[in-house]
Amino acid sequence: MRPPTHILVVNGVKVRRPVFVIAAPHSGADLLGRALKRSPGFHMTMGRGPVTRVVYAFARRPSIARSGGAPRVLRDVLAEAWQVVPASCAECTTACREAGGIIGAGPCVGPGALTRFGDASPDLIYSTPVLLRAFPDARFIQVVRDGRDVVADMLADPACMAWVKPHMLSEDAEFPNPFLGVRSAEHRQRWAEMPAAGRCALRWRGAVRLNAALRRELPAEHLLTLRYEDLVAAPGEAIDAVSSFLETKVSMIALYGATIPRPGAWRTRLSGEDAELVEKVAREELARLGYR
């Protein structure tokens, strides 16, 4: 049985059915977050500093996420991130400011127009159990993407590569470690010696396994699954599905004209050796998701 919904008030508005976009790295959470951020009544945050620090603490130390105080900590940092004050957007990341079309200090939304809150911070997926405890009425949208395309983007992203360096699995690391995709300490050395593409594939595999577990746990009215490829190929249909799921109108303007990698770009971006390794590491998940 889930705990009762906590009554959180931000800018005089009760936070009801907050929306969280979750995905493996470079799977499209930012793209959907952009669409929600530009929709009437929504206040979506993406990568605010305090939220990011908590998210990565939970990702790297699952035992912290399981603690009794974790929901309150996450609820508090999100409430702070959702506050609308004259210079609030000055603290946002470049990606968040750009998604909101902000020039100057902001804010990106007027407090009088707010009806829904949400977050699409990178790697929020590892905090999903805490979010469920903090916001039992939350709505989750998970985005999945071909793991080979994900790895191609991760290899080109210094921020992602910083997380898969060998020293990340230190002696005090916790296992299983969904964040890095390593199940036990026995695999520590094998992971450290694996080429970067393989470590990225393990991270993608771990994330999509979390997605699958969430799909089994949550009822349909709390979770919507989208494919990155559908967001790119048929944005109108994808946004219609999101609008129906959230029972509100979501803007699709932000999805048009975006300069983003096209599906299947891994064929020219990954070396033959890297593509073979990714398919070996994540063969089961690629097949289950229909990526042939």
Side-chain angles (χ1 to χ4, degrees):
M1 180 180 295
R2 289 183 185 163
T5 302
H6 180 89
I7 299 176
L8 179 66
V9 179
V10 179
N11 287 108
V13 180
K14 289 184 179 180
V15 177
R16 300 184 187 276
R17 297 181 300 160
V19 182
F20 299 106
V21 184
I22 56 177
H26 288 286
S27 292
D30 58 331
L31 191 61
L32 185 56
R34 175 195 302 266
L36 291 168
K37 192 172 182 67
R38 298 194 182 187
S39 299
F42 271 93
H43 185 25
M44 292 291 296
T45 47
M46 302 166 65
R48 288 290 293 268
V51 176
T52 297
R53 287 190 287 272
V54 170
V55 165
Y56 282 118
F58 291 165
R60 298 182 66 186
R61 299 282 185 181
S63 60
I64 300 176
R66 292 190 293 269
S67 68
R72 178 180 57 81
V73 171
L74 192 52
R75 195 163 47 229
D76 287 349
V77 294
L78 283 167
E80 180 184 353
W82 291 332
Q83 287 288 338
V84 179
V85 296
S88 56
C89 287
E91 301 177 12
C92 290
T93 62
T94 299
C96 188
R97 289 167 56 81
E98 190 278 331
I102 299 302
I103 299 175
C108 61
V109 65
L114 293 181
T115 58
R116 298 287 288 273
F117 298 86
D119 192 85
S121 293
D123 294 315
L124 193 63
I125 185 173
Y126 304 102
S127 294
T128 301
V130 188
L131 289 167
L132 281 167
R133 289 156 61 198
F135 304 99
D137 64 340
R139 299 298 186 261
F140 293 87
I141 304 176
Q142 59 182 19
V143 189
V144 296
R145 184 187 181 197
D146 189 325
R148 295 162 295 190
D149 279 327
V150 168
V151 171
D153 274 353
M154 289 181 69
L155 290 172
D157 181 355
C160 279
M161 296 309 297
W163 290 116
V164 296
K165 291 183 178 180
H167 73 270
M168 289 302 299
L169 273 188
S170 58
E171 289 299 321
D172 61 347
E174 296 182 6
F175 298 94
N177 193 312
F179 181 55
L180 298 178
V182 183
R183 296 179 180 177
S184 70
E186 297 176 355
H187 300 148
R188 188 198 312 268
Q189 190 60 33
R190 186 189 308 173
W191 180 88
E193 295 172 351
M194 182 177 286
R199 295 197 295 272
C200 290
L202 282 170
R203 226 187 133 194
W204 176 81
R205 187 180 75 176
V208 297
R209 285 178 175 176
L210 291 178
N211 277 336
L214 192 63
R215 179 78 272 170
R216 292 190 295 269
E217 176 183 354
L218 288 182
E221 62 267 24
H222 283 266
L223 177 68
L224 174 67
T225 302
L226 294 176
R227 288 180 181 268
Y228 172 93
E229 293 79 11
D230 294 336
L231 281 171
V232 174
E237 294 179 15
I239 291 301
D240 283 347
V242 175
S243 297
S244 177
F245 173 67
L246 298 179
E247 299 179 316
T248 190
K249 183 63 177 176
V250 176
S251 172
M252 74 176 73
I253 296 175
L255 298 185
Y256 285 103
T259 303
I260 55 177
R262 312 308 293 180
W266 64 269
R267 291 183 174 84
T268 57
R269 299 179 65 199
L270 290 180
S271 68
E273 293 81 3
D274 282 348
E276 183 177 354
L277 178 58
V278 173
E279 291 174 344
K280 178 180 180 181
V281 168
R283 179 180 293 111
E284 180 179 336
E285 286 69 29
L286 287 168
R288 177 171 57 81
L289 293 170
Y291 294 117
R292 306 294 183 181

